[in-house]
Amino acid sequence: MIGVWKEDALKLRALEPEDLDFLYSIENDAELWDVGNTNVPYSRFSLNNYLLSSSSDIYADKQVRLVMEDKDGTPVGLLDIFNFEPRHHRAELGIAVEKRVRNHGYGCKAVRMAVEYARNIIHLHQLCAVVDIDNTSSLKIFQEAGFSKGAILKDWIFYGKKYHDALMMQIFL
C-alpha cells in the first residue's frame, strides 16, 4: 500500500481517521453523485465504520482509496482504485476533486501517479475509467494521463431526468 506518494505539489496518501470530515464532505456533495454510483447521503457513523474497517490492502478490500493533498497538506480530493480483479490484473480508477481547486492540475497529476502505482506496485495490466461523454474536464484528464477512448456505453449513466452515454477510458500498463 502507498504510504505517501509525492509529485511536485501533490501527495497521495492513505485515508486516516482524521479524514472523516473531509470524506463526509466529498461523499455528501450532491454535485458529485452524477459521476458516481450513489445518490444518498452517508452518515458520519457509516463513514467512520468504513475508515475503521478498511484494511488499506487492495488484495483484501479489492479497492484502495487515497487522499490527494496539496503542498500545504490540505486535502483537495480523493482517488479510488476499485473493482480490482487480481486474476485479470485490472481495476477501475476514479477521482473526485474539490470544486474550489478544480482546473489546478491536481486531477491529472493524481491520475498519472495512480498509473505509476498500478504499473510498478500492484503490477496491473490495465486501468479503466467510465466517464460521462459530456464530462470534457474528466475526459481531458484521463487522455492527458495516457488513457485512450474505448467503447461508447449507451445510456450508461442516469442523472437529471435522462440517460447519458459514457466512454470507457483505458490504459494498458
Side-chain angles (χ1 to χ4, degrees):
M1 177 49 227
I2 290 179
V4 172
W5 197 294
K6 294 180 184 179
E7 179 184 295
D8 298 326
L10 183 69
K11 176 170 74 172
L12 296 179
R13 63 163 176 80
L15 278 167
E16 298 288 350
E18 297 79 25
D19 293 316
L20 178 61
D21 289 337
F22 180 70
L23 186 60
Y24 182 83
S25 70
I26 292 283
E27 291 292 353
N28 290 308
D29 182 348
E31 288 183 23
L32 295 174
W33 290 351
D34 292 342
V35 298
N37 291 326
T38 189
N39 60 356
V40 296
Y42 285 96
S43 69
R44 278 184 166 65
F45 178 79
S46 64
L47 292 172
N48 190 54
N49 284 342
Y50 167 76
L51 287 170
L52 294 173
S53 67
S54 174
S55 70
S56 295
D57 178 351
I58 194 165
Y59 292 94
D61 298 337
K62 302 297 184 242
Q63 72 169 28
V64 64
R65 177 169 261 193
L66 303 169
V67 175
M68 301 162 49
E69 282 186 351
D70 67 12
K71 63 180 173 20
D72 298 321
T74 303
V76 295
L78 294 173
L79 182 135
D80 291 311
I81 299 174
F82 61 102
N83 288 341
F84 173 57
E85 290 288 342
R87 178 175 180 228
H88 303 294
H89 302 135
R90 67 176 180 239
E92 287 187 61
L93 180 62
I95 59 169
V97 179
E98 279 195 313
K99 192 173 191 174
R100 67 180 176 79
V101 292
R102 288 185 191 147
N103 300 311
H104 286 82
Y106 293 122
C108 194
K109 282 181 185 164
V111 170
R112 285 187 181 131
M113 292 164 73
V115 166
E116 290 305 308
Y117 172 67
R119 177 184 289 125
N120 298 322
I121 306 299
I122 54 178
H123 308 291
L124 293 183
H125 173 63
Q126 63 181 296
L127 280 173
C128 68
V130 176
V131 182
D132 185 313
I133 205 161
D134 296 321
N135 188 340
T136 55
S137 295
S138 288
L139 290 172
K140 182 180 176 189
I141 286 169
F142 285 102
Q143 284 181 295
E144 287 181 7
F147 284 69
S148 59
K149 294 178 181 177
I152 295 176
L153 305 169
K154 300 302 261 175
D155 290 349
W156 196 257
I157 302 168
F158 182 82
Y159 65 88
K161 295 182 179 182
K162 65 179 189 167
Y163 289 94
H164 299 255
D165 294 345
L167 269 173
M168 173 69 76
M169 303 294 292
Q170 196 171 23
I171 187 169
F172 292 94
L173 309 174

